[in-house]
Amino acid sequence: MARTLSFLLLLLGLCGNSVSGGPPSSTNTSGDLNYELPTANYETQGSYKPGSIGILFRMVRIFLHMVQPNDFPEDILAKVIQKSFEPSINFDKSENIILALKVLNYEIGIVIYALLGLLFVILMPVVGYFFCMCRCCNRCGGKMHQRQKENGPFQRKCFAISLLVICIIMSFGIFCGFVANHSVRTRIKRTRILANSNFKDLRTLLNQTPEQIQFILAQYNTTKDKAFSDLNSIHSLLGGGIHERLRPNVTPVLDEIKSMVTVIKETKKALESTKSSLQNLRDTSAQLSSNLTNVKTSIQRSLRDPTCSVHPASETCNSIRTSLSQLDSNLDVNQLPPVDTELDNVNNVLRTDLGGLVQKGYQAFNDIPERVQHQTKNIVADVKGVLNSIGPRVNRVTQQIPIESTLSKFAVYINKTESHIHRNLHSLEEYDSYWWLGGLIICFLLTLIVTFYYLGLLCGVCGYDRDATPTRRGCVSHTGGVFLMVGVGLSFLFCWLLMIIVIVTFVIGTNVEKLICEPYASTKFFQVLDTPYLFNDNWQYYLSGIIFNKSDIRLTFGQVYSDCKNNRGVYATLHLENRFNISKHLNINEHTENINHEFENLNINLNIVLLDKAGRANLQNFAVCGIDRINYATYLSQTGKHPAKVNLLSFAYDLETKANHLPPGTLRQSLKREAEIIKMIHRQQVVPMEQSLGTLRDSIKTLQPISNGLVDRIARILTSLDSAQDFVTNNIASVINDEIRKYVRTIVGHFEQYLLWVDFSVREKMVSCKPVATALDSAVNVLLCGYVISPLNLFWFGIGKATVFSLPALIFAVKLAKYYRRMDSEDVYDDVETIPMKNPLPR
């Protein structure tokens, strides 16, 4: 373990030297750039799982807690370690006496059990010696005579059952001994695999460190490529940002003006349609009135025929004569004023290409990204130069790290350590063979004793004859008694020797378990190592004294172990900022200030005119073109009328019907001819007039909503235009500055993100010392505690149990052998008297 601890300290020291230049590692970043430092996969597991044998280990730990229930003595152990570094210890000092008493108080349970064991060691051979001498003198049951007792069968059964139970308990203890012995044998064989796995992980750590450095340097190119991409896209990022900031104020106004261009064109089209329809109506209305007058005159002339004076034709003629008043034009086209003036005004407005002017405004606004890119060519080139200079500076910082030489030295140390361990593994395996053989001998000795007891019980019980007298017992029963006495003799010969081994292993195993294994698992062991001034009277914190020669820096074994266990980097674990400040060497502010300085020279001029004076005048002229003064009510009233006062087609059919009621002759034919003329007038004049009226009405309905509030609408458009133009003129400089700052933050943010990631990686992830913590766990938790101490404790627990219970076993065996062995003499009772008489065996 001492070698493992020195290995850990050397690794920490080497890592401290390696970071005197500044290594890198990984973190999670936000945005488009996500860096992930490559991590290694380590194969060694620092934990130990005993498997099914674990229940036996827990049983032993419960017993140990009964023997040693005291809490871990941090203060006592720390003082003991401090005293061990003193050249000489004066036990006359009161503080040393008090410390010794505290140690004794803590170890009182172990001491008591050890004393009991020593008492067993001393008394067992002494009692055995006197017991043998006593039996040789025909005492202590040595005389082959058995008195007959009424409760003799009951005692025999009780002795047999008790001995059987004790043998079973001893057998369980022997089983634990065999299991522990085999466990040590199998687990020691795994030590080589465990050592190779740990060294492989350590080499993986060494090989991965240069890869991590190269990865960090490579990520700078990724960051630079992203920044270059943003610089090349300055038209969309910076220019687009300015464009988007102005859009809410500019686009709605231009859209309204653009829609007004469409309105002007629609107005012209409607006015032209109105003018054409009015002209057609004037021409056709006069012709219709003339034709209807001629038809009416012709019909009146026809009605002067004499036939109309004769009844009943006179009634028909009168009816026709009465309806002639309806044959007249229903329109008064003269009431509809002409729109020539309005049309001329709109044509004058259209002489100016308002749509083209609006498109110029759109183009001036939409060309912002291209103009920004054109005006920033030189600045972008300068910024790229600054960004290119950051890479070599980061590279120079990493080149200051003597990582290669340090790693090579560390690799040499690992190779030497591995060679040393492999050489000692042969010795360890050889010693393990001796231990395994010795354990087998111990277990076989106890097994032999218990086997004689079992054989004695088996032969005694099976060969016992209830009707046979003590002097006439069978050979099998007698053999059982002999087996029992052989077991007793072996117990006296070997059990005290086995107890010596139990005491030694008990003291060693219990103290290692309670003072190393348990506190190591609960990390209380590191609290002892972190006691100020423990290893050096001048160093408050031992680790910081070794690494920095400054013992006031709070660097503890527990914190280092915990950080390494959590896969943290060496820089943060060992607080190496006290030796090499990575933030100072990377100096994020210095790099960002250089980039900001280049962007300070960025000057963007954007002169945007949304609509020039000609366009404004054009809108104002349209507002006073006169369409709002047209009498739309008169137009709608006249266009809603029928061209004639009566439906000429219906009138013509009615006239034909009435003519058919007249007697045949000239009158009838004349009226039918007039009816056909009316139909022709309807087809040739009324129908076209109705179409013209419909066209005129549609045109008026188009013009009317346009004219409603036209002046106010254009005034609002001009006001919005002035407001938008003022906003662009007065605020474009601040908008440009805001967007430049945002754009600069984006570019600088990539490098801030990268440099912060480098800083975090070097601190938290670079040279992760988890393999070191795993190696320490493998040495202490797995090898020492799991492979050695736990089986050792199980071994002495099982062997000790069997050895202790051999004492009552031999007592019951001696008592029981009397009932199985063939006696030399027995008690004989007379028929009259009750006085027993000896009856010796016949010679």
Side-chain angles (χ1 to χ4, degrees), residues 792-819:
L792 178 66
N793 288 335
L794 180 60
F795 181 79
W796 66 251
F797 178 78
I799 300 303
K801 178 187 290 186
T803 304
V804 169
F805 276 93
S806 67
L807 182 61
L810 70 88
I811 294 173
F812 286 114
V814 170
K815 293 285 186 181
L816 188 60
K818 201 78 170 179
Y819 290 95

Side-chain angles (χ1 to χ4, degrees), residues 268-477:
K268 176 189 176 183
K269 184 177 179 181
L271 288 173
E272 288 177 342
S273 176
T274 300
K275 179 180 178 181
S276 175
S277 298
L278 282 175
Q279 187 62 41
N280 290 336
L281 286 174
R282 286 192 179 95
D283 295 341
T284 55
S285 178
Q287 187 177 359
L288 175 63
S289 179
S290 174
N291 290 337
L292 290 177
T293 300
N294 293 336
V295 170
K296 182 166 61 174
T297 302
S298 177
I299 292 173
Q300 288 175 349
R301 191 183 303 113
S302 298
L303 292 177
R304 294 177 188 155
D305 190 278
T307 304
C308 290
S309 58
V310 180
H311 186 77
S314 60
E315 293 181 359
T316 301
C317 291
N318 290 334
S319 176
I320 293 172
R321 191 177 292 112
T322 303
S323 64
L324 288 177
S325 61
Q326 297 177 349
L327 282 177
D328 199 358
S329 175
N330 193 35
L331 293 177
D332 186 5
V333 181
N334 294 326
Q335 292 184 6
L336 300 177
V339 292
D340 296 344
T341 303
E342 291 79 0
L343 180 59
D344 292 339
N345 291 336
V346 172
N347 285 330
N348 290 331
V349 169
L350 288 174
R351 287 192 180 94
T352 302
D353 186 8
L354 183 60
L357 298 178
V358 174
Q359 287 301 320
K360 287 183 179 180
Y362 274 119
Q363 186 174 1
F365 177 62
N366 293 329
D367 284 348
I368 290 176
E370 283 71 21
R371 294 168 66 184
V372 167
Q373 186 171 21
H374 178 73
Q375 295 181 27
T376 56
K377 283 183 179 179
N378 296 331
I379 298 297
V380 167
D382 294 340
V383 172
K384 286 182 178 180
V386 173
L387 298 183
N388 282 325
S389 67
I390 296 178
R393 296 188 64 180
V394 175
N395 195 12
R396 283 195 299 272
V397 171
T398 56
Q399 287 177 353
Q400 296 174 10
I401 309 172
I403 189 68
E404 297 295 337
S405 59
T406 304
L407 291 181
S408 61
K409 294 177 183 178
F410 190 37
V412 170
Y413 175 78
I414 289 179
N415 293 332
K416 290 181 179 179
T417 305
E418 185 176 17
S419 300
H420 175 78
I421 290 177
H422 283 164
R423 284 195 304 271
N424 290 334
L425 277 176
H426 294 290
S427 301
L428 179 63
E429 292 172 354
E430 183 180 354
Y431 295 148
D432 174 61
S433 299
Y434 297 150
W435 166 259
W436 177 75
L437 183 60
L440 281 182
I441 294 172
I442 293 171
C443 292
F444 277 125
L445 283 174
L446 288 171
T447 303
L448 184 63
I449 294 172
V450 174
T451 301
F452 277 117
Y453 286 155
Y454 279 129
L455 290 175
L457 286 171
L458 179 64
C459 294
V461 172
C462 294
Y464 183 77
D465 185 1
R466 183 182 301 177
D467 297 329
T469 62
T471 57
R472 299 183 183 275
R473 288 172 181 156
C475 180
V476 175
S477 176

